């Protein structure tokens, strides 16, 4: 039976899943018993996109008022480093983070990616990371879409290799990947 994570959890938990799979709700459920929670929303606002704003509003309405909120930080690592050691973090999501850095060339992206992973693993925080699964379906028709898919997939995979727990959310069902799967050598 699915239970919230134990108090004072330390390390990374990653939750992957497609759109509308329940991954954010799973993350919110798993972290809800922590004493102090900081929610990092990575997506930039899109004032001309009503559907996107509606999705953001759904997330806002589900969040308890006592959770601290950092929205689309300019420097994600600086924001994480500023968080109290007693806090737990829910970072939703990797896709928004990749979007913020999509215009970087490959060299700049790899520097950012390495710094981001180091800032997540080199602290004493409990961090739940929500990551979109986008490589299972349609092949992007644009170069930028291809870059986004590749960067998000690689970043998610790299974080998974450092995670203490890995979940997959599909159609409102939480799948414990650590119990069902084996790492590929």
């Amino acid at each position: 039976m699915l239970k919230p994570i134990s108090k004072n959890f330390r390390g990374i938990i990653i939750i992957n899943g497609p759109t509308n799979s329940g991954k954010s709700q799973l993350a919110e459920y798993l972290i809800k018993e922590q004493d102090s929670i900081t929610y990092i929303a990575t997506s930039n606002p899109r004032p001309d996109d009503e559907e996107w704003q509606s999705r953001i509003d759904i997330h806002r309405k589900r969040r308890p008022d006592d959770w601290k909120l950092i929205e689309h930080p300019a420097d994600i690592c600086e924001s994480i480093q500023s968080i109290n050691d007693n806090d737990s973090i829910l970072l939703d999501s990797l896709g928004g983070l990749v979007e913020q850095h999509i215009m970087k060339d490959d060299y700049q992206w790899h520097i950012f990616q390495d710094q981001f992973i180091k800032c997540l693993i080199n602290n004493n925080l409990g961090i739940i990371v929500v990551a979109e699964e986008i490589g299972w379906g349609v092949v992007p028709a644009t170069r930028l879409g291809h870059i986004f898919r590749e960067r998000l997939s690689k970043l998610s995979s790299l974080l998974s290799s450092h995670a203490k727990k890995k979940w997959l959310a599909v159609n409102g069902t939480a799948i414990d990947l650590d119990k069902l799967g084996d790492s590929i050598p």
Side-chain angles (χ1 to χ4, degrees):
M1 182 170 169
L2 188 63
K3 295 180 183 176
I5 56 175
S6 62
K7 288 210 184 234
N8 303 315
F9 170 83
R10 297 295 176 243
I12 299 169
I13 295 173
I14 190 162
I15 301 171
N16 294 73
T19 301
N20 294 318
S21 62
K23 60 191 174 293
S24 294
Q25 290 145 299
L26 175 58
E28 293 159 6
Y29 175 79
L30 290 175
I31 205 168
K32 72 179 186 173
E33 299 293 322
Q34 302 306 300
D35 291 330
S36 183
I37 299 165
T38 298
Y39 186 102
I40 301 176
T42 61
S43 180
N44 284 316
R46 300 175 191 165
D48 297 334
D49 187 339
E50 289 180 29
E51 190 273 334
W52 190 250
Q53 192 57 47
S54 174
R55 292 172 69 96
I56 289 173
D57 290 343
I58 289 168
H59 284 245
R60 283 185 177 143
K61 288 175 185 170
R62 281 198 317 250
R63 272 195 303 269
D65 292 335
D66 62 336
W67 288 11
K68 297 173 204 101
L69 175 64
I70 299 173
E71 292 184 296
H72 47 86
D75 185 331
I76 187 88
C77 290
E78 184 178 290
S79 294
I80 290 169
Q81 291 165 352
S82 74
I83 293 172
N84 184 313
D85 284 344
N86 297 325
D87 276 17
S88 296
I89 298 172
L90 195 166
L91 192 152
D92 196 355
S93 69
L94 282 188
L97 191 61
V98 172
E99 179 186 18
Q100 286 182 30
H101 298 275
I102 197 70
M103 299 312 290
K104 291 183 175 183
D105 65 29
D106 285 342
Y107 177 76
Q108 293 169 322
W109 167 255
H110 287 292
I111 290 172
F112 167 76
Q113 178 178 260
D114 291 345
Q115 289 173 341
F116 175 64
I117 291 170
K118 284 178 186 170
C119 89
L120 289 183
I121 63 175
N122 291 334
N123 63 58
N124 192 32
L125 297 168
I127 304 171
I128 296 181
V129 178
V130 175
E132 299 87 341
E133 279 297 341
I134 60 168
W136 292 9
V138 177
V139 175
T142 65
R143 182 181 179 320
L144 198 57
H146 175 73
I147 290 170
F148 179 82
R149 181 188 67 177
E150 293 302 311
R151 288 181 178 179
L152 178 55
S153 297
K154 180 66 173 177
L155 181 57
S156 180
S157 181
L158 289 170
L159 280 178
S160 288
S161 70
H162 296 286
K164 287 189 174 184
K165 191 81 182 151
K166 296 175 270 310
W167 291 93
L168 177 64
V170 179
N171 298 328
T173 301
I175 301 167
D176 184 338
L177 293 175
D178 297 308
K179 286 184 180 177
L180 294 177
D182 292 312
S183 294
I184 298 170

